[in-house]
Amino acid sequence: MSYLLPTLSQKKEVDTIIKDTIDKVLVLRFGRAADAVCLQLDDILARTTLQLSKFATVALVDIDSEDVQVYVKYFDVTLIPSTVFFFNAHHMKMDSGTADHSKWVGAFHEKQDFINVVEAIFRGAMKGKLIVNCPLPPERIPKYQLLYKDV
């Protein structure tokens, strides 16, 4: 389903979409088009794009592209898929009970889970917040271990 969503492979494209998306949540999925979990997430993203079109924009970022490695390193995308949220060019964070608030790691279980997360980020952003609480119950949040290099 990744062919239904815009795929960004250059830093300039990512910069432009972050800067030009106004009064909407920008959802950037970092990953690979050939990965099974990324395809599962892409299916959910593609099926919800029309429902979220009034307050969200979704785009995919190919992490294998040399030009976007700046963002891959900045957001510490080591596990894929990683989903990063923006609102009016501000990076939106979400407290989901994991150690990393800067991104969502893994796929969503259901379409409604993704809709609830984007809606919570939009409502928080409209109130001026840069970090919001995750609306999902803990059993629906993917668990993973963070490994720190050179610590």
Side-chain angles (χ1 to χ4, degrees), residues 96 104 109 113 136-143:
S96 57
W104 179 273
H109 291 278
D113 291 346
L136 304 180
E139 60 270 6
R140 291 198 167 287
I141 299 171
K143 304 289 186 252

Side-chain angles (χ1 to χ4, degrees), residues 76-88:
D76 191 28
V77 178
T78 53
L79 300 172
I80 59 170
S82 291
T83 308
V84 182
F85 303 95
F86 292 90
F87 186 81
N88 290 346

Side-chain angles (χ1 to χ4, degrees), residues 1-5 29-48 58 60 80-83 104-114 140 142:
M1 290 300 223
S2 59
Y3 58 87
L4 296 174
L5 298 168
R29 190 274 288 151
F30 287 83
R32 294 184 180 94
D35 184 67
V37 182
C38 288
L39 288 174
Q40 178 189 359
L41 180 59
D42 291 350
D43 181 49
I44 291 172
L45 296 178
R47 287 188 293 145
T48 57
V58 179
L60 311 178
I80 59 170
S82 291
T83 308
W104 179 273
V105 176
F108 293 91
H109 291 278
E110 296 177 359
K111 183 171 98 166
Q112 191 60 45
D113 291 346
F114 175 65
R140 291 198 167 287

Side-chain angles (χ1 to χ4, degrees), residues 2-59:
S2 59
Y3 58 87
L4 296 174
L5 298 168
T7 302
L8 312 174
S9 58
Q10 296 190 3
K11 182 184 180 301
K12 185 174 178 78
E13 293 173 330
V14 178
D15 289 342
T16 303
I17 198 167
I18 290 172
K19 194 173 51 174
D20 292 347
T21 305
I22 304 298
D23 292 336
K24 283 187 172 184
V25 175
L26 173 63
V27 180
L28 292 180
R29 190 274 288 151
F30 287 83
R32 294 184 180 94
D35 184 67
V37 182
C38 288
L39 288 174
Q40 178 189 359
L41 180 59
D42 291 350
D43 181 49
I44 291 172
L45 296 178
R47 287 188 293 145
T48 57
T49 302
L50 189 60
Q51 292 172 315
L52 298 175
S53 63
K54 295 225 186 262
F55 60 93
T57 302
V58 179

Side-chain angles (χ1 to χ4, degrees), residues 111-132:
K111 183 171 98 166
Q112 191 60 45
D113 291 346
F114 175 65
I115 292 170
N116 291 345
V117 166
V118 172
E119 191 175 315
I121 289 173
F122 180 75
R123 288 180 185 197
M126 292 305 284
K127 294 177 183 175
K129 296 181 179 179
L130 293 176
I131 187 166
V132 297

